[in-house]
Amino acid sequence: MHSLQFTAESSSNGMVERDFTVGEVPGVLWSPASGADRAPLVLMGHGGGAHKKHPAMAGRAQRLVTGCGFHVAVIDAPGHGDRPRSAHDEQDVAELRKAQAAHEPEGPVVVRYNARLAELAVPEWQAALDALQELPEIGAEGPVGYFGIALGTAIGVPLVAAEPRITAAVFGLMWPDALVEAAKRITVPVEFDMQWDDERIPREAGLALFDAFASKEKTLHANAGKHFDFPRFEADSAVRFFARHLDRAAAAPA
């Protein structure tokens, strides 16, 4: 079991940013500059080709930290951010670029690539959660959510299916092919985002993944537009979703 080691710290706009490592996996933890001793934790998965401090991650963290008083943690996926690509990564990326250049369907390449990354990343996320819950400001009993779009969904669905500590999740923008069986094991509240006119992920594919979740409470957010038209206001909806579920869990009597 690896402990969490902080490597850098800064503070701005009411939020403390701390870089950390768990073993060889780098991450970042955003926390309120002031507030309660204990607060819920949201784990966030970044998109493909991005990294833990991508502006989308920092922006969503700002909303959750300053708006809700939550902690937010992101780790770099294998072959992303501060983690070097393996030869296998390079091969998968080259295949993806080739399919895109030829205007061929990229789904089969992305699904296979992301499934391999998820197999590596799920135990890394579980180790990171173990270490984060040892921090006194988070603790082992506090509620935990997961927020991940695209690659964040490819990793997050098997993670949430395997991890009973996560009690609410936001997913979206991913093919169902490698995820349906894991989605069938998810019963926690889910908010799911899709683009109705997505040119990469067929509408039927997005609906199939949403349908697979076994959650009694699940909400579909379908927005007009193509894949990269995903609206920023969905981040605000996710914040309200986590405030509703994690704050309620935090307030529940032990």
Side-chain angles (χ1 to χ4, degrees):
M1 180 176 177
H2 298 290
S3 62
L4 185 148
Q5 302 292 328
F6 288 116
T7 58
E9 179 174 329
S10 62
S11 179
S12 63
N13 301 318
M15 188 166 69
V16 176
E17 176 183 293
R18 288 177 285 177
D19 293 349
F20 67 82
T21 58
V22 176
E24 297 182 353
V25 179
V28 58
L29 175 64
W30 286 289
S31 301
S34 61
D37 291 338
R38 292 284 179 90
L41 170 67
V42 175
L43 310 176
M44 285 202 304
H46 61 72
H51 55 85
K52 61 185 178 295
K53 293 188 181 180
H54 187 278
M57 298 294 97
R60 293 167 189 171
Q62 184 78 49
R63 289 172 167 86
L64 287 161
V65 171
T66 61
C68 302
F70 293 172
H71 302 280
V72 177
V74 189
I75 61 173
D76 282 328
H80 288 69
D82 293 325
R83 305 180 68 180
R85 285 180 180 172
S86 67
H88 205 160
D89 293 329
E90 295 288 3
Q91 180 180 348
D92 285 337
V93 172
E95 286 186 32
L96 176 58
R97 298 290 177 256
K98 182 179 178 181
Q100 290 171 333
H103 302 290
E104 296 174 348
E106 58 192 84
V109 180
V110 175
V111 166
R112 184 175 64 251
Y113 177 34
N114 286 0
R116 182 176 62 79
L117 295 182
E119 188 174 347
L120 299 170
V122 167
E124 293 174 349
W125 264 118
Q126 292 180 301
L129 180 54
D130 289 343
L132 288 162
Q133 287 191 321
E134 291 184 356
L135 298 174
E137 63 268 36
I138 294 175
E141 303 304 321
V144 180
Y146 181 87
F147 185 2
I149 303 297
L151 173 61
T153 287
I155 292 172
V157 169
L159 172 63
V160 175
E163 185 46 74
R165 289 175 289 184
I166 298 174
T167 58
V170 175
F171 300 120
L173 303 186
M174 182 48 58
W175 290 267
D177 306 55
L179 301 178
V180 167
E181 292 307 312
K184 290 178 180 178
R185 300 196 301 273
I186 292 177
T187 59
V188 302
V190 166
E191 187 168 285
F192 186 80
D193 300 318
M194 62 179 288
Q195 290 299 99
W196 202 242
D197 310 298
D198 198 318
E199 75 283 12
R200 304 176 75 200
I201 304 169
R203 185 181 302 171
E204 296 75 13
L207 292 172
L209 182 51
F210 174 75
D211 191 51
F213 292 110
S215 309
K216 290 184 178 179
E217 180 182 335
K218 58 180 180 179
T219 305
L220 176 66
H221 286 202
N223 289 283
K226 294 186 180 297
H227 189 82
F228 292 106
D229 295 331
F230 183 62
R232 291 186 178 183
F233 61 69
E234 284 296 349
D236 296 319
S237 177
V239 170
R240 293 191 295 269
F241 172 86
F242 287 121
R244 187 164 69 249
H245 291 288
L246 301 187
D247 267 349
R248 184 171 62 197

